[in-house]
Amino acid sequence: MPELIRKRYKELIEEHILDFLPDIDHKSITLYESMKYSLSAGGKRIRPMLLLAAAEFTGCKLEAAIPYACAVEYMHTYSLIHDDLPAMDDDQLRRGVPTNHIIYGEAMAILAGDGLQSAAYEAMNKDMLLYFDDPDKLKKRIRASYEIAKGSGCRGMVAGQVADIESEDKACSREMLDYIHLTKTAALIVAAVRAGAQLGGADAETLNNLTIYAENLGLAFQIADDILDVVGSEKEMGKKAGVDQVKKKSTYPSLYGLEASKAKLMELTDNAIEALSSYYDNAEFFTKLATDLAVRGK
Amino acid sequence: MPELIRKRYKELIEEHILDFLPDIDHKSITLYESMKYSLSAGGKRIRPMLLLAAAEFTGCKLEAAIPYACAVEYMHTYSLIHDDLPAMDDDQLRRGVPTNHIIYGEAMAILAGDGLQSAAYEAMNKDMLLYFDDPDKLKKRIRASYEIAKGSGCRGMVAGQVADIESEDKACSREMLDYIHLTKTAALIVAAVRAGAQLGGADAETLNNLTIYAENLGLAFQIADDILDVVGSEKEMGKKAGVDQVKKKSTYPSLYGLEASKAKLMELTDNAIEALSSYYDNAEFFTKLATDLAVRGK
């Protein structure tokens, strides 16, 4: 069952992922191509899937959540494009294909990232206009957009990226590492889940439980990624392996060792699952997703 | 009178320009410093002033328009920071001080730009939450935010930046140059004016007249800038003079000659003024601003 649901979510996202790019004049068409290139380069679509799942879980029609699901994936994609730039992580490969700036050049990659962030807000804002006659639904949409703004912004994803860049080539404390993981990775995952729950009009308790799930999942996700960087192959990851060590990046494996990292991954995964499965009997999708993500880092 | 009004707008903007940066954790404090650096580096504040003026002109309380005025300046500032990057225009000086990446490095400058765009939306979104009990005011705010999203995004400012970059070192048609000016410069100026008018709940006719004003002003503004690049000094502009020619950038002076450019500047300025002064007897602020901007390029 959860596999079928996930397939359905994934198909919906793939079907609509380009729908919310504005109609771009042919004089700026490279911008469209560059944004499309990175949006179409695959990826697990974890964040939009979680948004759809949380929306459905809390009673929002799936179709109504699609603009927000795509918006959150636009945010994630813009952050990857900027993250890969020479001035940042200087990565040539992502999801098995050349990174955006390798194909389109640095200037266009910067602008594609800027354009994607802007397209995300334009899509959400435009969607709000459709609900001017339904104040209740309108408010849910504003709350959802605000979750995404907070999670992707200066106290969330962007802050994490800053702390990450500033911690390179330096001894990094465990506290700092947790901060980086919470902001750089978990914040947008939490935002996706909370945005979906806002669309469904979740009560405070459900919102809280979903948040605990997402925080634990987000941290687990990053640790699994770091473990994979040590033990995985380039083929498995679609990008270079062992990069963290070469860059002297502090990670869970480098600060705690591989075994302790695996144990932490399992603990966080259990916490995530428990946050929902103890209270709801229809949380299989969330449980299965957490389990599957953890397996990557085993 | 218009001078006093302008002074009042400018003071309001300077007073509140940092108010809408999110509270940033000390672990990412460089992000705050970097954003603050560029926001505090002066500038004419044309866009937020126009937003305040249009809001007041159409009956919105000035204080209520401040978050949107600051949001539009955040957008403008983020675009300047990214524009100045080595991969883009590679400028070392802006408003008489070193550009953001010269002080904070390229990675931080990219992130400061990303963070400012995000802060703009977070501020507008947060402001909307305050009007949940007043559907009429809420709708005005959503419309204002949508104007800024459209003007700064993939059919506006970002599109213009793309076309500009792609036209470098190439013969550029007059049609293309107009497109670049309309998107890169005029779009956000139009958005500022329209956002203000949306906050005031302007009727279709007023919105239309203000749009014509802003389009003409925006084009005039860019031509004045291009003329100044030819005839001005570094001191006057706070950045290097003669840069366009060195970069072989197509401009009004390079395509039409200096005299024709000055004539065009006057024509656009007249159009801008006429769009409002023919219909309203309280448009002095707009008239004076257009006149003063045109004088720069005389």
Side-chain angles (χ1 to χ4, degrees):
Chain A
M1 257 304 266
E3 283 89 350
L4 276 180
I5 299 174
R6 191 186 303 179
K7 193 164 166 274
R8 186 162 144 253
Y9 291 160
K10 188 114 198 291
E11 281 170 0
L12 262 181
I13 297 157
E14 300 304 340
E15 188 185 334
H16 292 287
I17 193 66
L18 300 177
D19 289 2
F20 303 93
L21 292 178
D23 282 326
I24 294 173
D25 192 283
H26 68 94
K27 296 187 194 69
S28 309
I29 204 65
T30 320
L31 172 65
Y32 181 82
E33 288 163 5
S34 167
M35 296 192 296
K36 184 182 164 195
Y37 174 78
S38 290
L39 283 177
S40 312
K44 297 180 283 298
R45 313 290 196 199
I46 300 289
R47 292 155 194 82
M49 265 203 273
L50 281 167
L51 191 147
L52 292 181
E56 206 167 34
F57 186 71
T58 53
C60 172
K61 276 191 191 162
L62 213 44
E63 285 66 30
I66 290 173
Y68 299 82
C70 291
V72 88
E73 188 69 358
Y74 287 12
M75 289 296 182
H76 175 56
T77 305
Y78 113 68
S79 81
L80 297 182
I81 295 175
H82 282 187
D83 204 9
D84 288 337
L85 285 166
M88 309 270 274
D89 280 359
D90 194 13
D91 280 318
Q92 276 87 50
L93 207 61
R94 157 88 61 188
R95 296 169 178 167
V97 295
T99 46
N100 194 294
H101 67 273
I102 296 293
I103 303 288
Y104 293 96
E106 275 183 65
M108 197 59 67
I110 293 167
L111 291 165
D114 293 346
L116 280 170
Q117 175 166 201
S118 145
Y121 286 108
E122 200 174 327
M124 293 189 287
N125 227 315
K126 193 174 176 183
D127 184 67
M128 290 174 199
L129 302 177
L130 302 175
Y131 294 89
F132 268 22
D133 292 332
D134 189 334
D136 181 52
K137 286 189 177 167
L138 182 58
K139 288 173 196 172
K140 289 174 180 170
R141 275 148 189 83
I142 295 170
R143 288 196 194 100
S145 166
Y146 190 48
E147 296 289 351
I148 294 172
K150 283 189 293 180
S152 61
C154 299
R155 285 174 296 183
M157 192 178 74
V158 174
Q161 191 63 27
V162 166
D164 192 31
I165 291 279
E166 294 214 305
S167 299
E168 262 179 29
D169 301 320
K170 262 189 235 178
C172 169
S173 70
R174 291 178 175 196
E175 191 204 349
M176 184 56 133
L177 186 66
D178 282 340
Y179 172 76
I180 293 173
H181 286 188
L182 268 173
T183 46
K184 188 180 168 178
T185 309
L188 194 60
I189 289 176
V190 170
V193 168
R194 287 181 62 96
Q198 297 285 15
L199 289 174
D203 58 38
E205 198 191 330
T206 307
L207 197 59
N208 188 46
N209 292 334
L210 281 166
T211 305
I212 297 172
Y213 167 83
E215 264 174 14
N216 281 284
L217 183 82
L219 290 175
F221 187 70
Q222 184 60 53
I223 293 175
D225 234 34
D226 289 353
I227 294 175
L228 208 59
D229 186 77
V230 179
V231 303
S233 68
E234 183 168 328
K235 203 177 156 205
E236 262 176 288
M237 293 188 290
K239 58 183 179 184
K240 272 200 170 160
V243 168
D244 293 340
Q245 217 189 339
V246 173
K247 288 187 183 163
K248 292 185 194 151
K249 221 166 195 169
S250 294
T251 63
Y252 252 79
S254 80
L255 286 192
Y256 296 83
L258 205 54
E259 285 318 303
S261 299
K262 287 182 181 180
K264 184 76 183 170
L265 169 60
M266 289 307 126
E267 185 196 324
L268 290 164
T269 304
D270 288 346
N271 292 348
I273 291 170
E274 226 167 83
L276 296 180
S277 64
S278 330
Y279 304 102
Y280 314 94
D281 52 14
N282 58 343
E284 309 90 0
F285 172 84
F286 296 103
T287 302
K288 183 76 169 70
L289 186 74
T291 311
D292 289 353
L293 288 180
V295 167
R296 291 195 314 145
K298 253 190 182 162
Chain B
M1 254 305 265
E3 283 89 350
L4 276 180
I5 299 175
R6 192 187 302 181
K7 192 164 167 272
R8 186 161 145 255
Y9 291 160
K10 188 114 198 294
E11 280 171 1
L12 262 182
I13 296 157
E14 300 304 338
E15 188 185 336
H16 292 287
I17 193 68
L18 300 177
D19 289 1
F20 303 93
L21 293 178
D23 281 326
I24 293 173
D25 192 282
H26 68 94
K27 297 188 193 70
S28 309
I29 204 65
T30 319
L31 172 65
Y32 181 82
E33 288 162 5
S34 165
M35 295 192 297
K36 184 181 163 194
Y37 173 79
S38 289
L39 283 177
S40 311
K44 296 178 285 297
R45 312 291 194 198
I46 299 290
R47 292 155 195 82
M49 264 203 274
L50 280 167
L51 191 146
L52 293 181
E56 205 166 35
F57 186 70
T58 54
C60 172
K61 276 191 190 160
L62 214 44
E63 285 66 29
I66 291 173
Y68 300 82
C70 292
V72 89
E73 188 69 358
Y74 287 12
M75 288 297 181
H76 175 57
T77 307
Y78 113 68
S79 81
L80 297 183
I81 296 175
H82 282 188
D83 204 9
D84 288 337
L85 285 166
M88 309 269 275
D89 279 359
D90 194 14
D91 280 318
Q92 276 88 51
L93 207 61
R94 157 89 61 188
R95 295 167 178 169
V97 296
T99 47
N100 194 294
H101 68 272
I102 296 293
I103 303 289
Y104 293 97
E106 274 184 64
M108 197 60 68
I110 294 169
L111 291 165
D114 293 347
L116 279 170
Q117 176 167 199
S118 147
Y121 286 109
E122 200 174 327
M124 294 189 285
N125 227 313
K126 193 175 177 183
D127 184 67
M128 291 174 198
L129 301 178
L130 302 175
Y131 294 88
F132 268 23
D133 293 331
D134 190 333
D136 181 54
K137 286 188 177 167
L138 182 58
K139 288 173 196 171
K140 289 174 179 169
R141 275 146 187 85
I142 296 171
R143 288 195 194 100
S145 167
Y146 190 48
E147 296 289 351
I148 294 173
K150 282 189 294 180
S152 62
C154 299
R155 284 173 297 182
M157 192 179 73
V158 175
Q161 191 61 30
V162 166
D164 193 31
I165 291 278
E166 294 214 305
S167 299
E168 260 179 31
D169 300 320
K170 261 190 237 180
C172 170
S173 70
R174 291 178 174 195
E175 190 204 349
M176 184 57 131
L177 185 67
D178 281 340
Y179 172 76
I180 293 172
H181 286 188
L182 267 173
T183 47
K184 189 179 168 178
T185 309
L188 194 61
I189 288 176
V190 170
V193 169
R194 288 181 60 96
Q198 297 285 15
L199 288 174
D203 58 39
E205 198 190 329
T206 307
L207 197 58
N208 187 48
N209 292 335
L210 281 166
T211 305
I212 296 171
Y213 168 82
E215 266 175 11
N216 281 284
L217 183 81
L219 290 174
F221 187 69
Q222 183 60 52
I223 293 175
D225 234 35
D226 289 353
I227 294 174
L228 208 58
D229 186 77
V230 179
V231 303
S233 70
E234 183 168 327
K235 202 177 158 205
E236 261 177 288
M237 294 188 290
K239 59 183 180 184
K240 272 201 169 158
V243 167
D244 294 339
Q245 216 190 341
V246 173
K247 288 189 182 163
K248 292 185 194 150
K249 224 169 191 166
S250 293
T251 63
Y252 251 79
S254 80
L255 287 192
Y256 296 82
L258 205 54
E259 285 318 304
S261 300
K262 286 182 181 180
K264 183 76 184 172
L265 169 60
M266 289 308 127
E267 184 196 326
L268 289 165
T269 304
D270 287 346
N271 292 348
I273 291 168
E274 224 167 86
L276 295 180
S277 63
S278 330
Y279 305 103
Y280 314 94
D281 53 13
N282 58 341
E284 309 90 1
F285 172 84
F286 297 103
T287 302
K288 183 78 169 70
L289 187 73
T291 311
D292 288 354
L293 288 179
V295 168
R296 291 195 313 143
K298 253 191 183 160

